[in-house]
């Protein structure tokens, strides 16, 4: 089964709680992905970060500027 994200919840400190269609739930710290480049720098603004959206049918998450993550990557990502 290919992973899909069924729900997202924005937490504090640039973290997002992701629930997948296979029952797995992960909390991912996205701070490590925020840099100084034009695509990731806007995410440093906490209000902008909170505007993350879920693609139709759980095919990933994205922000309005086009920065996105596929569910496969997030599903396999090691979390602490």
């Amino acid at each position: 089964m290919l992973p899909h994200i069924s729900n997202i919840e924005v937490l504090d400190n640039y973290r997002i709680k992701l629930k997948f269609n296979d029952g797995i739930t992960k909390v991912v710290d996205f701070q490590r992905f925020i840099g100084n480049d034009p695509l990731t720098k806007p995410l440093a603004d906490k209000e902008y970060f909170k505007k993350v959206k879920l693609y139709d049918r759980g095919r990933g998450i994205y922000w309005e500027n086009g920065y996105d993550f596929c569910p496969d990557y997030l599903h396999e990502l090691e979390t602490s």
Side-chain angles (χ1 to χ4, degrees):
M1 171 183 352
L2 293 174
H4 286 83
I5 301 167
S6 57
N7 191 50
I8 60 173
E9 179 184 349
V10 178
L11 305 174
D12 60 343
N13 298 323
Y14 305 102
R15 296 177 307 138
I16 299 175
K17 183 177 183 180
L18 306 159
K19 184 173 182 183
F20 293 89
N21 61 326
D22 61 1
I24 290 176
T25 300
K26 289 187 172 193
V27 174
V28 177
D29 182 354
F30 284 85
Q31 193 164 10
R32 61 181 146 173
F33 300 111
I34 299 172
N36 287 322
D37 60 278
L39 197 57
T40 64
K41 188 174 183 176
L43 277 67
D45 177 339
K46 289 184 179 185
E47 291 307 310
Y48 185 82
F49 183 81
K50 291 177 185 177
K51 294 180 180 180
V52 63
K53 297 182 193 298
L54 182 60
Y55 277 121
D56 187 40
R57 290 177 271 158
R59 297 174 301 178
I61 62 171
Y62 68 98
W63 285 267
E64 292 177 2
N65 69 349
Y67 192 54
D68 66 356
F69 288 87
C70 72
D72 300 15
Y73 177 76
L74 294 171
H75 192 269
E76 297 301 318
L77 189 64
E78 291 293 323
T79 57
S80 53

